[in-house]
Amino acid sequence: DAGVIQSPRHEVTEMGQEVTLRCKPISGHDYLFWYRQTMMRGLELLIYFNNNVPIDDSGMPEDRFSAKMPNASFSTLKIQPSEPRDSAVYFCASSRSELQPQETQYFGPGTRLLVL
Amino acid sequence: ILNVEQSPQSLHVQEGDSTNFTCSFPSSNFYALHWYRWETAKSPEALFVMTLNGDEKKKGRISATLNTKEGYSYLYIKGSQPEDSATYLCAFYKSYNTDKLIFGTGTRLQVFP
């Protein structure tokens, strides 16, 4: 298996622009998680999906952030409009459901976002 | 608010030294504690999942213990090597009805040759 795939790996954009981050989870995984990593707050959960349905979006910072999972193999995290404080590394992770809460989460390589 | 605290924040050791660090978490409604290893410019990778009080897990030179009654877990590295340099994250599930991990901010380990 190729693991969790994220694109782009790096994104540099200007304030006010729309940014779309993409994730392909591991095939057969029912859970998909979006995290943001910053120096100040470490690894924060933004939102997670179970069987393509958003379950908990309490970590989404504000209305500028939205996430979708139209099918089992694809999810997007969108920021519109982007601001400099959104600069961070965004990770996607996926896991199976059978043995929750013991299930390991498998992380993608992350998208490094810089908003100028 | 659920707090997962890790200490120390960073650690510098010489090759061959043994080291350990701590993860503290709320002891009520405990279900599982995860340890991840995160190398610079890579993504976090799972090391251990621990569920029972008194659990001890081992992978090569790395081992971990769990005390759910007092709310802490220790990670030990015996005979540190430069390739052990990474950030070690712990994360836990507060309750069975929650499917999300709460991560600590990590202990950044640097092993000098």
Side-chain angles (χ1 to χ4, degrees), chain A residues 31 33 35 37 41 43 45 48 56 58 91 100-105 107-109, chain B residues 31-32 34 36 38 42-44 46 49 51 89 93 96 98-101 103 105:
Chain A
Y31 283 83
F33 306 84
Y35 291 92
Q37 190 254 337
R41 303 183 69 162
L43 202 58
L45 178 67
Y48 78 91
D56 186 341
S58 59
F91 285 100
Q100 296 293 350
Q102 293 100 306
E103 282 293 343
T104 292
Q105 292 185 13
F107 284 77
Chain B
Y31 280 91
H34 295 235
Y36 283 79
W38 191 1
K42 295 187 179 179
S43 48
V49 181
T51 56
L89 295 169
Y93 277 88
Y96 193 78
T98 276
D99 295 324
K100 59 185 183 183
L101 290 173
F103 279 87
T105 51

Coordinates of all heavy atoms in Angstrom, one line a residue, chain A residues 31 33 35 37 41 43 45 48 56 58 91 100-105 107-109, chain B residues 31-32 34 36 38 42-44 46 49 51 89 93 96 98-101 103 105:
Chain A
Y31 N -11.7 5.7 8.9 CA -11.5 7.0 9.6 C -10.5 7.9 8.9 O -9.4 7.4 8.5 CB -11.0 6.8 11.1 CG -12.1 6.4 12.0 CD1 -12.5 5.0 12.1 CD2 -12.8 7.3 12.8 CE1 -13.5 4.6 13.0 CE2 -13.8 6.9 13.7 CZ -14.1 5.6 13.8 OH -15.1 5.2 14.6
F33 N -8.6 11.8 9.4 CA -8.4 12.9 10.3 C -7.5 14.0 9.7 O -6.6 13.7 8.9 CB -7.5 12.4 11.6 CG -8.1 11.2 12.3 CD1 -7.9 9.9 11.8 CD2 -8.9 11.4 13.4 CE1 -8.5 8.8 12.5 CE2 -9.5 10.3 14.1 CZ -9.2 9.0 13.6
Y35 N -5.1 17.2 10.8 CA -4.4 17.8 11.9 C -3.7 19.0 11.3 O -3.3 19.1 10.2 CB -3.4 16.9 12.5 CG -3.9 15.7 13.2 CD1 -4.2 14.5 12.6 CD2 -4.2 15.8 14.6 CE1 -4.6 13.4 13.3 CE2 -4.7 14.7 15.3 CZ -4.9 13.5 14.7 OH -5.3 12.4 15.4
Q37 N -0.2 21.3 12.6 CA 0.9 21.3 13.5 C 1.6 22.7 13.5 O 2.0 23.2 12.4 CB 2.0 20.2 13.1 CG 3.0 20.1 14.1 CD 4.4 20.7 13.7 OE1 4.6 20.9 12.5 NE2 5.2 20.9 14.6
R41 N 1.2 25.2 19.3 CA 0.1 24.3 19.9 C 0.3 22.9 19.5 O -0.5 22.0 19.9 CB -1.2 24.8 19.3 CG -1.5 26.3 19.7 CD -2.9 26.7 19.2 NE -3.9 26.0 20.0 CZ -5.2 26.4 20.1 NH1 -5.5 27.5 19.4 NH2 -6.1 25.8 20.7
L43 N 0.4 19.4 17.7 CA -0.5 18.7 16.7 C -1.9 18.8 17.2 O -2.3 18.2 18.2 CB -0.1 17.2 16.6 CG -0.4 16.4 15.4 CD1 0.2 17.1 14.2 CD2 0.1 15.0 15.6
L45 N -6.1 18.4 16.3 CA -7.0 17.8 15.5 C -8.0 18.9 15.0 O -8.6 19.6 15.8 CB -7.8 16.7 16.2 CG -8.9 16.0 15.4 CD1 -8.3 15.2 14.3 CD2 -9.7 15.1 16.3
Y48 N -12.5 15.2 12.0 CA -12.4 13.8 11.5 C -13.7 13.2 10.9 O -14.8 13.7 11.3 CB -11.8 12.9 12.6 CG -12.7 12.4 13.6 CD1 -13.4 11.2 13.5 CD2 -12.8 13.1 14.8 CE1 -14.2 10.7 14.5 CE2 -13.6 12.6 15.9 CZ -14.3 11.4 15.7 OH -15.1 10.9 16.7
D56 N -16.7 15.1 14.1 CA -16.3 16.1 15.1 C -15.5 17.2 14.4 O -14.3 16.9 13.9 CB -15.5 15.5 16.2 CG -15.2 16.4 17.3 OD1 -15.2 17.7 17.1 OD2 -14.9 15.9 18.4
S58 N -15.0 20.2 15.9 CA -14.8 21.2 16.9 C -13.5 21.9 16.9 O -13.2 22.9 17.5 CB -15.1 20.6 18.3 OG -14.2 19.5 18.6
F91 N -1.5 17.8 8.4 CA -1.4 16.4 8.2 C -2.8 15.8 8.0 O -3.7 16.2 8.7 CB -0.7 15.7 9.4 CG 0.8 16.0 9.5 CD1 1.3 16.9 10.3 CD2 1.6 15.2 8.7 CE1 2.7 17.1 10.4 CE2 3.0 15.4 8.8 CZ 3.5 16.4 9.7
Q100 N -10.9 0.4 17.6 CA -10.9 1.6 18.3 C -11.1 1.4 19.8 O -11.9 0.5 20.1 CB -11.9 2.6 17.8 CG -11.8 3.0 16.3 CD -10.6 3.9 16.1 OE1 -9.9 4.4 17.0 NE2 -10.3 4.1 14.8
P101 N -10.4 2.0 20.7 CA -9.5 3.1 20.6 C -8.0 2.7 20.4 O -7.1 3.5 20.5 CB -9.7 3.9 21.9 CG -10.0 2.9 22.9 CD -10.8 1.8 22.2
Q102 N -7.8 1.4 20.2 CA -6.4 1.0 20.0 C -5.8 1.2 18.6 O -4.7 0.9 18.4 CB -6.2 -0.5 20.4 CG -6.5 -0.8 21.9 CD -7.9 -1.3 22.1 OE1 -8.8 -0.7 21.7 NE2 -8.0 -2.5 22.7
E103 N -6.7 1.5 17.7 CA -6.2 1.6 16.3 C -5.2 2.6 16.1 O -5.3 3.8 16.5 CB -7.4 1.8 15.4 CG -8.2 0.6 15.1 CD -7.5 -0.5 14.3 OE1 -6.5 -0.2 13.7 OE2 -8.0 -1.6 14.3
T104 N -4.1 2.3 15.4 CA -3.0 3.2 15.1 C -3.5 4.1 14.0 O -4.2 3.7 13.0 CB -1.8 2.4 14.6 OG1 -1.3 1.7 15.7 CG2 -0.8 3.3 14.0
Q105 N -3.1 5.4 14.0 CA -3.4 6.3 12.9 C -2.1 6.4 12.1 O -1.0 6.5 12.6 CB -3.7 7.7 13.5 CG -5.1 7.7 14.2 CD -5.5 9.1 14.6 OE1 -4.9 10.1 14.2 NE2 -6.5 9.2 15.5
F107 N -0.2 8.5 9.3 CA -0.1 9.8 8.9 C 0.5 9.9 7.5 O 1.4 9.2 7.1 CB 0.8 10.7 9.8 CG 0.1 11.0 11.1 CD1 0.0 10.0 12.1 CD2 -0.4 12.3 11.3 CE1 -0.6 10.4 13.3 CE2 -1.0 12.6 12.5 CZ -1.1 11.6 13.5
G108 N 0.0 10.9 6.7 CA 0.5 11.3 5.5 C 1.8 12.1 5.7 O 2.1 12.5 6.8
P109 N 2.4 12.5 4.6 CA 3.7 13.3 4.7 C 3.5 14.8 5.0 O 4.4 15.5 5.4 CB 4.3 13.2 3.3 CG 3.1 13.0 2.4 CD 2.1 12.2 3.2
Chain B
Y31 N -8.8 4.9 28.2 CA -9.0 3.7 27.4 C -7.7 3.3 26.6 O -7.5 2.1 26.4 CB -10.1 4.0 26.4 CG -11.5 3.8 27.1 CD1 -12.1 4.8 27.7 CD2 -12.0 2.5 27.1 CE1 -13.3 4.6 28.3 CE2 -13.2 2.3 27.8 CZ -13.9 3.4 28.4 OH -15.1 3.2 29.0
A32 N -6.9 4.2 26.2 CA -5.7 3.8 25.4 C -4.7 5.0 25.4 O -5.1 6.2 25.4 CB -6.1 3.4 24.0
H34 N -1.2 6.1 23.2 CA -0.4 5.8 22.0 C 0.9 6.6 22.1 O 1.0 7.7 22.6 CB -1.1 6.3 20.8 CG -2.4 5.6 20.4 ND1 -2.6 5.0 19.2 CD2 -3.5 5.4 21.2 CE1 -3.8 4.4 19.2 NE2 -4.4 4.7 20.3
Y36 N 4.0 7.9 19.5 CA 4.5 8.0 18.2 C 5.9 8.6 18.1 O 6.3 9.4 19.0 CB 3.5 9.0 17.4 CG 2.2 8.4 17.0 CD1 1.2 8.3 17.9 CD2 2.0 8.0 15.7 CE1 -0.1 7.8 17.6 CE2 0.7 7.4 15.3 CZ -0.3 7.3 16.3 OH -1.5 6.8 15.9
W38 N 8.4 10.8 15.7 CA 8.3 11.8 14.6 C 9.6 12.4 14.2 O 10.1 13.3 14.9 CB 7.3 12.9 15.0 CG 6.8 13.8 14.0 CD1 7.2 13.8 12.6 CD2 6.0 14.9 14.1 NE1 6.5 14.8 12.0 CE2 5.8 15.5 12.9 CE3 5.3 15.5 15.2 CZ2 5.0 16.6 12.7 CZ3 4.5 16.6 15.1 CH2 4.3 17.2 13.8
K42 N 9.5 14.3 8.3 CA 8.7 13.1 8.0 C 7.4 13.2 8.8 O 7.1 14.2 9.4 CB 9.5 11.8 8.4 CG 10.8 11.6 7.6 CD 11.4 10.3 8.0 CE 12.6 10.1 7.1 NZ 13.3 8.7 7.4
S43 N 6.6 12.1 8.7 CA 5.3 12.1 9.4 C 5.4 11.2 10.6 O 6.2 10.3 10.7 CB 4.2 11.7 8.5 OG 4.5 10.5 7.8
P44 N 4.6 11.5 11.6 CA 4.6 10.6 12.8 C 4.3 9.2 12.5 O 3.4 8.8 11.7 CB 3.4 11.2 13.7 CG 3.3 12.6 13.2 CD 3.6 12.6 11.7
A46 N 3.7 5.3 14.4 CA 3.3 4.7 15.7 C 4.4 3.8 16.2 O 5.1 3.1 15.5 CB 2.0 3.8 15.5
V49 N 0.9 1.1 21.3 CA -0.5 1.4 21.9 C -0.6 0.6 23.2 O -0.3 -0.6 23.2 CB -1.6 0.9 20.9 CG1 -2.9 1.3 21.5 CG2 -1.4 1.6 19.5
T51 N -3.0 -0.2 26.7 CA -4.4 -0.1 27.2 C -4.5 -0.5 28.6 O -5.5 -0.1 29.3 CB -5.3 -1.0 26.3 OG1 -4.8 -2.3 26.3 CG2 -5.4 -0.5 24.9
L89 N 5.9 11.7 20.6 CA 4.6 12.2 21.0 C 3.8 11.1 21.7 O 3.9 9.9 21.3 CB 3.8 12.5 19.7 CG 4.3 13.7 18.8 CD1 3.6 13.7 17.5 CD2 4.1 15.0 19.5
Y93 N -6.8 8.4 24.3 CA -8.3 8.5 24.1 C -8.9 8.7 25.5 O -8.6 7.9 26.4 CB -8.8 7.1 23.6 CG -8.7 7.0 22.1 CD1 -7.6 6.4 21.5 CD2 -9.8 7.3 21.3 CE1 -7.5 6.2 20.1 CE2 -9.8 7.1 19.9 CZ -8.6 6.6 19.4 OH -8.6 6.4 18.0
Y96 N -14.3 5.8 25.5 CA -14.6 4.9 24.4 C -15.4 5.5 23.3 O -15.4 5.2 22.1 CB -15.3 3.6 24.9 CG -15.3 2.5 23.8 CD1 -14.2 1.7 23.6 CD2 -16.4 2.3 23.1 CE1 -14.2 0.8 22.6 CE2 -16.5 1.3 22.1 CZ -15.3 0.5 21.9 OH -15.4 -0.5 21.0
T98 N -15.2 8.4 22.1 CA -14.5 9.4 21.4 C -13.5 8.7 20.5 O -12.8 7.8 20.9 CB -13.7 10.4 22.3 OG1 -14.6 11.4 22.7 CG2 -12.5 11.0 21.6
D99 N -13.5 9.0 19.2 CA -12.6 8.3 18.3 C -11.4 9.2 18.0 O -10.7 8.9 17.0 CB -13.3 8.0 17.0 CG -14.4 7.0 17.2 OD1 -14.3 6.1 18.1 OD2 -15.5 7.1 16.6
K100 N -11.1 10.2 18.8 CA -10.0 11.0 18.5 C -8.9 10.9 19.5 O -9.2 10.7 20.7 CB -10.4 12.5 18.3 CG -11.1 13.1 19.5 CD -11.6 14.5 19.1 CE -12.3 15.2 20.3 NZ -12.8 16.5 20.0
L101 N -7.7 11.1 19.1 CA -6.5 11.1 20.0 C -6.2 12.6 20.4 O -6.3 13.5 19.6 CB -5.3 10.6 19.2 CG -5.3 9.1 19.0 CD1 -4.1 8.7 18.1 CD2 -5.2 8.3 20.2
F103 N -3.2 14.7 21.5 CA -1.7 14.6 21.5 C -1.1 15.6 22.5 O -1.6 16.7 22.7 CB -1.2 15.0 20.1 CG -1.3 13.8 19.1 CD1 -2.4 13.6 18.4 CD2 -0.2 13.0 18.9 CE1 -2.5 12.6 17.5 CE2 -0.3 11.9 18.0 CZ -1.5 11.7 17.3
T105 N 2.6 17.8 23.3 CA 3.4 18.6 22.4 C 4.7 17.9 22.1 O 5.5 18.4 21.3 CB 3.6 20.0 23.0 OG1 4.1 19.9 24.3 CG2 2.3 20.8 23.0

